[in-house]
């Protein structure tokens, strides 16, 4: 039997550090409450730290892994022992996360992903970089042999390490300019700004800034509320218009918007620094990150869907973003199982070549699109106008005749939005691939091979039957609530039945492959 291996000795320090980060908030609460009451928090704090250290030692001593002929075996636990057998053929990817400290110490956090759930099948904290490369090479080589139907040789202690995969071919490399543009378009700085405002609010700094800008008397009553009220009174001639305060408020808002964009750009430049997508054999590998370096592997044969996203700023800049979903359940952010960036940003010209890496032979530009039912607009508009009428009736007692103006504006906008959204909606078959697009300002285009379909559904609500419509839904493995699912509404009933029958027959006659 092959000998078992341990984690890197630095595992102790990283495990203790991770536990202390988890205990940071409870420790802070302990310091504030116990310390302020004179309970001697210094005596209590070791009760939080010592168990973490003992847990790290126990985990390091009990954690073992070994390479068997067809599987990776991981053993943990002292009192409650756990042994997991992970077949190489089931391993979806061997991902790595490296912070600056990891890189300085030449170690790496390793996450073994399978299609079995939302969490990694195993997390090895930490391995040396050579051990990680050996694991990645062994898994890729043995998975490739298993996929080719060849027998896997016995893994022996004296067997040299499996050949490490050669450096892949670069498919996409994003320069700093593209990363800054991606940050400008994503505008994730709003999240950081909101978190910062929340902290400032907790410490009372928001009121101090408001007092500094608008004066103590105004701030005490609510600067924004008073400014709006005075501006409205000035506009209708019941008082002087506060031009100075309105101008200052507009400057503050403009400055905040610029700051949000700049923060978003800086955050993207750090988070996606050095983004590179390479291809080695049948795997795509993405690497990115300045402070925390993330490396993920995307086996091409396990890609379930590929989605192209284009917001308004994407289209104005001639860019798009591309994600793929792999079997593995619901996922959260990049680097976890399920949804991975194929390209956080890519030019429209480079998009066809990038898509051909995942779906060779599928040219969306040749697709013959099929739209919704001709009466779909009338049906959608009627439904949304009912909602507008309900909202207007609810606010009418408070707003009076202004409710009629609000209803007219909302009704006009609803009509425009519905028309544009239905005009873009469509589906097409390109070879053995179903393509579905939807949206208006923000557009999604999702592609899935028929062989990846888990369930093909045909749905008819009472309103569908009354108007001669139906919808077709295709479920694939790994789809999450964040996914742009292939769910095609408002189809003509005959077209929906024809599409459903065609997809169901094709899916039933094709062997499903992860």
């Amino acid at each position: 039997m092959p000998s078992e291996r341990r984690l890197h000795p630095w595992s102790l320090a990283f495990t203790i550090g991770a536990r202390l980060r988890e205990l940071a908030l409870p420790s802070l609460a302990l310091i504030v409450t116990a310390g302020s009451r004179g309970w001697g928090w210094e005596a209590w704090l070791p009760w939080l730290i010592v168990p973490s250290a003992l847990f790290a030692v126990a985990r390091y001593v009990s954690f073992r892994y070994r390479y068997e002929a067809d599987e990776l075996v991981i053993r943990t636990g002292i009192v409650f022992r756990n042994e997991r057998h992970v077949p190489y053929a089931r391993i979806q990817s061997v991902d790595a996360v490296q912070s600056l400290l990891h890189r300085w110490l030449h170690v790496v956090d390793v996450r073994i992903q399978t299609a079995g759930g939302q969490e990694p099948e195993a997390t090895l904290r930490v391995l040396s970089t050579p051990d990680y490369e050996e694991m990645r090479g062994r898994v890729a080589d043995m998975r490739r042999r298993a996929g080719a139907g060849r027998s896997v040789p016995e893994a022996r202690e004296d067997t040299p390490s499996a050949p490490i995969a050669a450096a892949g071919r670069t498919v996409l490399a994003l320069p700093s300019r593209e990363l800054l543009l991606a940050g400008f378009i994503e505008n994730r700085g709003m999240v950081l700004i909101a978190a910062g405002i929340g902290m400032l609010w907790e410490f009372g700094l928001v009121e101090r800034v408001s007092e500094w800008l608008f004066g103590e008397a105004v701030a005490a009553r609510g600067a924004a509320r008073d400014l709006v009220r005075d501006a409205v009174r000035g506009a209708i001639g019941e008082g002087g218009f506060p031009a100075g305060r309105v101008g200052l408020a507009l400057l503050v808002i403009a400055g905040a918007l610029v700051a949000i964009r700049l923060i978003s750009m800086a955050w993207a430049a750090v988070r996606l620094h050095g983004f590179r997508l390479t291809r080695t054999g049948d795997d795509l590998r993405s690497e990115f990150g300045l402070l925390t370096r993330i490396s993920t592997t995307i086996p091409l044969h396990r890609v379930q869907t590929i989605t192209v996203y284009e917001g308004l700023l994407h289209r104005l800049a001639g860019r798009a973003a591309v994600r793929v979903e792999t079997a593995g359940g619901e996922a959260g952010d990049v680097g976890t199982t399920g949804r991975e960036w194929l390209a956080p940003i890519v030019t429209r010209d480079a998009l066809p070549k990038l898509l051909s890496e995942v779906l060779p032979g599928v040219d969306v530009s040749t697709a013959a699109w099929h739209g919704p039912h001709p009466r779909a607009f009338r049906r959608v508009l009627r439904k949304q106008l009912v909602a507008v009428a309900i909202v207007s009736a609810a606010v009418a007692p408070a707003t009076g005749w202004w409710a009629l103006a609000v209803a007219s504006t909302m009704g006009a906008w609803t009509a425009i939005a519905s028309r544009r959204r239905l005009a873009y909606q469509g589906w097409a078959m390109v070879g053995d691939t179903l393509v579905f697009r939807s949206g208006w300002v923000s557009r999604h285009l999702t592609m899935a091979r028929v062989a990846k379909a888990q369930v093909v559904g045909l749905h008819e609500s009472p309103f569908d039957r009354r108007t001669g419509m139906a919808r077709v839904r295709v479920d694939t493995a790994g789809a999450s609530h964040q996914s742009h699912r292939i769910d095609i509404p408002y189809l003509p009933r005959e077209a929906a039945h024809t599409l459903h029958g065609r997809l169901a027959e094709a899916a039933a006659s094709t062997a499903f492959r992860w």
Side-chain angles (χ1 to χ4, degrees), residues 211-429:
E211 291 173 6
W212 178 69
L213 289 175
F214 302 104
E216 183 177 359
V218 174
R221 299 193 304 267
R225 182 191 60 193
D226 289 353
L227 179 60
V228 172
R229 184 182 60 190
D230 295 345
V232 172
R233 287 179 175 176
I236 61 178
E238 294 185 356
F241 188 78
R245 289 165 55 199
V246 170
L248 182 59
L250 292 177
L251 284 177
V252 171
I253 294 173
L257 293 177
V258 172
I260 289 171
R261 292 288 178 179
L262 292 177
I263 291 173
S264 178
M265 293 167 68
W267 185 60
V270 172
R271 183 173 60 94
L272 300 173
H273 173 76
F275 185 94
R276 182 176 297 276
L277 183 70
T278 57
R279 178 165 182 169
T280 303
D282 292 333
D283 292 343
L284 288 175
R285 185 183 185 189
S286 62
E287 294 179 302
F288 54 89
L290 178 60
L291 301 180
T292 299
R293 193 73 179 166
I294 295 176
S295 173
T296 62
T297 303
I298 307 171
L300 288 176
H301 65 281
R302 292 186 177 174
V303 172
Q304 305 298 303
T305 62
I306 179 169
T307 299
V308 179
Y309 171 74
E310 293 178 297
L312 180 59
L313 293 180
H314 281 103
R315 297 201 297 279
L316 292 175
R319 302 294 194 277
V322 185
R323 277 187 184 274
V324 294
E325 285 194 342
T326 57
E330 189 172 344
D333 207 345
V334 179
T336 59
T337 310
R339 303 174 75 234
E340 303 289 356
W341 280 119
L342 199 61
I345 190 169
V346 62
T347 63
R348 293 286 306 176
D349 294 337
L351 184 58
K353 182 180 179 182
L354 178 64
L355 296 180
S356 67
E357 294 285 345
V358 183
L359 294 173
V362 177
D363 185 1
V364 180
S365 64
T366 63
W369 293 101
H370 302 271
H373 194 284
R375 290 186 295 174
F377 173 70
R378 187 186 309 172
R379 179 180 166 187
V380 173
L381 183 61
R382 185 185 301 125
K383 180 172 62 177
Q384 297 198 353
L385 287 180
V386 170
V388 169
I390 294 174
V391 172
S392 302
V395 301
T399 60
W401 289 103
W402 284 102
L404 186 60
V406 171
S408 301
T409 304
M410 292 177 62
W413 174 256
T414 296
I416 295 172
S418 301
R419 175 70 75 181
R420 299 296 297 174
R421 191 167 58 251
L422 290 172
Y424 182 73
Q425 177 183 311
W427 66 272
M429 289 295 300

Side-chain angles (χ1 to χ4, degrees), residues 11-30:
S11 174
L12 286 168
F14 281 97
T15 303
I16 293 174
R19 297 284 294 179
L20 290 181
R21 283 197 301 271
E22 295 173 359
L23 294 173
L25 286 179
S27 300
L28 182 61
L30 180 64

